[in-house]
Amino acid sequence: MGEFDNTVVVITGAAGNLGRAVAQAFAVRGTHLALLDLNAEGIEKTIEDCQGQASAQGFACNLVDRLSVEGAIEEVLQRFGRVDVLANIAGGFTMGPLIQDTEDRDWDFMMNLNARSVLNTCRPVIPAMLENEGGGRIINVSARAAIQGKGRMGPYCASKAAVLTLTESMAAENRMDNINVNCILPGTIDTPQNRQAMPEAEFNHWVPPAALADVVVFLASDAARCVTGAAIPVYGQS
């Protein structure tokens, strides 16, 4: 029996590059996977990639819609009975205009995609974990940009800083209930989209999704049982 055998892991953004890598990393460890994403077709691709390695089921939902997320988590609980690990992988990045030229829609898009999605999943999952005597682990994805603002990236930096602060607050609130909450701070992730956007960059200095997935698995493991409220930098060589 492995450490993660029969562990129920909820992964948001499961149709994306990092979400798929995290799903695969948990799949080979014998987990039950609940895969959340708006892209139902992408979820199915992730399930195919995990075939035969884990019990995986997709739950299509809009992560910025509270009721949609609550409905998906309710389905997860009906299907698996509990949530042991929540990996909030969903998120995204866009360059923006100068702060003084930033429209409400620019601000709302980044805050919803990166911060509200975390809030929406944690609100129903934490009560479920509190009912589970084994507690739980929550891993969020912030970014290096959360701790150093950059020009034309104000909404993105602020949204990722919100993720970091939410992580610290939830860790403080739940530390006595065996619920550990941590986040990772990736540098530039080596994805096809980033390569296309920055074709002259040195890709070998970027962070492979599989390397980030390893850190997520570590934070979900018993080896990290005394780690909570941490922001783990994973910058690669960039």
Side-chain angles (χ1 to χ4, degrees), residues 92-94 110 114 142-146 153-161 186:
F93 167 80
T94 60
M110 282 286 92
N114 291 321
S142 181
R144 176 166 54 182
M153 292 170 55
Y156 174 75
C157 295
S159 68
K160 287 301 189 178

Side-chain angles (χ1 to χ4, degrees), residues 19 28 62 87 123 145 147 154 184:
V28 298
N62 181 355
R123 281 189 287 202
I147 58 176
I184 58 175

Side-chain angles (χ1 to χ4, degrees), residues 170-189:
M170 290 187 291
E173 291 171 353
N174 295 281
R175 62 182 303 176
M176 302 305 292
D177 294 301
N178 196 28
I179 298 175
N180 290 21
V181 189
N182 296 289
C183 67
I184 58 175
L185 309 177
T188 304
I189 304 174

Side-chain angles (χ1 to χ4, degrees), residues 3 6 9-10 21 43 53 55 62 65 72 89 106 110-111 114 129 143 157 161-162 165 176 182 197 204:
E3 176 183 353
N6 298 317
V9 180
V10 173
I43 293 176
Q53 299 175 319
S55 167
N62 181 355
D65 183 313
I89 308 301
D106 303 321
M110 282 286 92
M111 293 301 294
N114 291 321
M129 286 181 170
C157 295
T165 303
M176 302 305 292
N182 296 289
N204 60 314

Side-chain angles (χ1 to χ4, degrees), residues 4-7 9 11 19-33 35 46-56 213 217:
F4 288 103
D5 284 353
N6 298 317
T7 298
V9 180
I11 300 172
R20 183 167 294 124
V22 171
Q24 290 173 317
F26 278 112
V28 298
R29 291 167 169 83
T31 59
H32 299 295
L33 296 176
L35 306 176
T46 298
I47 292 174
E48 289 175 11
D49 290 344
C50 297
Q51 186 111 25
Q53 299 175 319
S55 167
V217 171

